[in-house]
Structures are given as C-alpha cells and as structure tokens.
C-alpha cells in the first residue's frame, strides 16, 4: 500500500496566496474526489503537486510514502509514480502519442527492463479497445488537432498505459458528452485496485455517478472545508456550493 499526504500546503501565484493550507491523505485502492466552485484552487493543487513552475509552494509538504515530492524534479515525480491529467492538455508537435507513452513507461523502468516493442503494442491495443479508440490515434502527434473529447480519452489512455501509483485527474469530464463520459469512466474504473489511487477533481457531481468515490473533499477558497463519503457529492448536487458554504458558516462569495 502507498500513501499520498498533502500537509498544510500553501501555494501562491505571482505573490497571491491561492492555497491556504490544504490537508488530505489518500491511499492506494481508494478513489478520492475534490469538488469545489470555480477559482477555488483545485487546479492549483494538482499543478503544485506535479511541480508546475508558476506555482510557488510557500509552506507545507506533499509526501509520497514519506518522501517529500516537492523536493523532487518534475520528471522524478512522474518516475516516483505520480500522474497528472491536466484540464487543458497541450499539443506536442513531432512526438507521436505512441512514442510519448513508450518513453513514459520506460522512464519508470530500469535500463535492463525496458518494455519490448511487441509487448508495448499488445498493451496499447488492449487499452485502446477498452476506450473505443481508433488505432490511428496512437500514431498522431500528441494532442495535435485532437478534439476536446479525444484529448480527454487520450489522457485516460496514457493513464492505462503508464499505470501510475497515484493519478490526479483534473476536470476529465469537462466538455464530454455522455458516451465519452462513460468511456472515460470505464478507463478509470479499470485502474481500480491494490496498486492504484486516484484524486478526481471535478466541478460537477455528474462524473461521480460513473466513478463512485470512496472519499469526497469539498474545497472552497483554498482550503478543504469538508470531507465525507460519496453521499456528500449528492448533497452538493441538491444544495449547491452556496447552500453548503452557508451551512458551514463560511464567509465566501460563490459564483455558481
Ligand atoms: N497562471 C495563473 N496566473 C495567475 N492566476 C492564476 C493562474 N492560475 C490560476 N490562477 C488564479 O488562481 C485561482 C485558483 O485557480 P484554479 O486553481 O484554476 O481554480 P479551480 O481549478 O478550482 O477552478 C483563481 O483565482 C485563478 O484566477
Ligand atoms: Mg480547474
């Protein structure tokens, strides 16, 4: 079992404090969801854990099995088993999707244990069929000309291929129709198990109808203000963020 602990994390962007002390602990074999209004710092949390240079950690730590990943270089965080599916995947010209995934898999393996081309292709075929993806997607340049839905599906393909210990999935549901949402959810659910944990960031409850979280955290104004089970997401759907923040006695302006 592996554990990812975020402890009293404070993060600033251009001198402005966005995260004001985030605490959360997750284990493999668990799926956690973070929900919260727009602009509350959800993507900032994901970016800070992965080491995006624009986000300055001013206090706190992020421990992966006791190791502070904030002290690791960005590529070392990935090698340590962290994976981030970003809200807006960028295009990488000149690198095919397949090349990218093979390099990412091999980065996590020892020199004498690189994945063979044959095994890689077999695995790729298997995972692409789970996601109903056409074969040619593997040979296209990464995210270049991919539609919004294709990008999201592709992030999940990377997840299935790279098999990280912990995945942070930022708004993988945004802009998806129901069919695509079901496919993406099927991919995440296929990863569930002993060696895998996920943190699913979403503004809407809808995704959580397909991926049932073990734990739900509500984030508002840079802090986790409430943690509960899957029922918390349902309640939020009924009461809205405004209702919940009033109930918690928070003085926060929320635009829904
Ligand atoms: N690159 C950036 N430069 C300046 N401000 C940013 C940047 N990214 C995010 N912010 C600000 O940080 C706050 C939190 O943003 P974000 O983490 O994206 O929220 P969420 O994902 O919860 O919608 C917002 O006020 C946003 O405007
Ligand atoms: Mg966001």
């Amino acid at each position: 079992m592996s554990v990812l602990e975020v402890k009293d994390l404070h993060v600033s962007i251009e001198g402005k404090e966005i995260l004001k002390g985030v605490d959360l602990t997750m284990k493999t074999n668990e799926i956690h969801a973070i929900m919260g209004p727009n602009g509350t710092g959800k993507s900032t949390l994901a970016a800070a854990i992965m080491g995006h240079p624009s986000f300055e950690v001013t206090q706190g730590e992020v421990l992966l099995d006791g190791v502070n990943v904030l002290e690791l270089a960005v590529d070392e965080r990935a090698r340590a088993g962290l994976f981030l599916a970003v809200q807006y995947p960028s295009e990488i010209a000149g690198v095919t999707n397949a090349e990218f995934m093979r390099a990412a898999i091999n980065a996590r393996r020892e020199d004498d244990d690189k994945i063979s081309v044959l095994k890689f292709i077999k695995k790729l075929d298997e995972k692409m069929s789970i996601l109903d993806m056409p074969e040619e997607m593997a040979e296209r340049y990464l995210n270049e000309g991919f539609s919004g839905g294709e990008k999201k599906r592709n992030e999940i393909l990377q997840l299935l291929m790279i098999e990280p210990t912990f995945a942070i999935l930022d708004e993988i549901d945004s802009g998806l129709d129901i069919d695509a949402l079901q496919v993406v959810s099927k991919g995440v659910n296929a990863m569930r198990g002993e060696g895998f944990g996920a943190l699913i960031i979403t503004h809407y409850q809808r995704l959580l109808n397909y991926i049932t979280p073990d734990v739900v955290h509500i984030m508002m104004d840079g802090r986790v203000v409430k943690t509960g089970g899957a029922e918390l997401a349902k309640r939020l759907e009924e009461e809205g963020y405004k209702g919940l923040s009033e109930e918690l006695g928070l003085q926060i302006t929320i635009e829904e």
Side-chain angles (χ1 to χ4, degrees):
M1 186 193 67
S2 284
V3 186
L4 185 67
E5 291 169 282
V6 177
K7 289 184 163 176
D8 192 32
L9 191 67
H10 292 249
V11 174
S12 295
I13 305 171
E14 292 164 3
K16 183 180 169 220
E17 184 163 73
I18 307 292
L19 297 188
K20 303 169 181 173
V22 172
D23 289 283
L24 70 96
T25 300
M26 51 185 299
K27 303 188 181 84
T28 43
N29 218 4
E30 291 177 352
I31 299 219
H32 289 228
I34 288 202
M35 303 182 70
N38 285 324
T40 217
K42 303 184 299 298
S43 293
T44 300
L45 175 65
I49 294 174
M50 293 311 293
H52 190 292
S54 308
F55 299 81
E56 188 198 353
V57 176
T58 54
Q59 199 176 314
E61 48 189 10
V62 177
L63 304 176
L64 174 58
D65 294 330
V67 173
N68 189 1
V69 301
L70 300 180
E71 287 165 4
L72 301 179
V74 174
D75 60 327
E76 287 171 342
R77 298 182 201 202
R79 253 181 272 139
L82 297 178
F83 174 96
L84 173 65
V86 294
Q87 193 166 353
Y88 306 105
S90 49
E91 301 186 352
I92 305 182
V95 177
T96 70
N97 203 9
E99 283 164 354
F100 173 82
M101 287 184 285
R102 197 156 156 242
I105 291 170
N106 280 334
R108 293 193 61 205
R109 289 170 160 241
E110 297 299 327
D111 276 344
D112 58 1
D113 184 37
K114 301 299 183 194
I115 191 166
S116 72
V117 176
L118 212 62
K119 277 203 177 128
F120 174 78
I121 290 171
K122 191 159 170 275
K123 185 171 179 176
L124 187 60
D125 282 346
E126 183 195 317
K127 305 302 183 190
M128 286 181 91
S129 76
I130 294 179
L131 299 174
D132 291 331
M133 286 172 79
E135 244 172 73
E136 52 98 16
M137 287 285 292
E139 292 312 322
R140 280 170 61 184
Y141 290 137
L142 192 52
N143 287 317
E144 208 174 74
F146 285 20
S147 71
E150 283 173 342
K151 283 183 183 172
K152 299 290 169 180
R153 233 176 249 231
N154 201 55
E155 296 273 291
I156 302 305
L157 177 64
Q158 291 172 6
L159 173 73
L160 294 177
M161 290 299 289
I162 295 168
E163 299 182 286
T165 312
F166 286 106
I168 302 173
L169 309 174
D170 192 4
E171 308 269 354
I172 45 163
D173 49 336
S174 70
L176 294 187
D177 61 26
I178 288 289
D179 288 342
L181 192 66
Q182 282 178 344
V183 169
V184 158
S185 305
K186 188 174 153 196
V188 176
N189 286 326
M191 283 294 296
R192 269 187 190 271
E194 295 281 321
F196 176 72
L199 183 61
I200 294 175
I201 297 175
T202 179
H203 180 77
Y204 299 105
Q205 193 267 339
R206 186 179 74 147
L207 177 67
L208 307 180
N209 291 329
Y210 300 96
I211 307 170
T212 309
D214 300 292
V215 182
V216 174
H217 309 274
I218 309 293
M219 194 165 158
M220 286 186 198
D221 194 27
R223 289 187 183 91
V224 173
V225 294
K226 196 171 176 61
T227 294
E231 76 291 342
L232 189 54
K234 299 262 184 225
R235 243 184 72 195
L236 204 59
E237 196 185 24
E238 287 152 19
E239 298 172 25
Y241 288 112
K242 220 171 192 150
L244 189 70
S245 99
E246 280 164 14
E247 193 187 304
L248 293 169
L250 302 171
Q251 311 290 319
I252 302 172
T253 319
I254 288 163
E255 297 158 28
E256 304 234 6

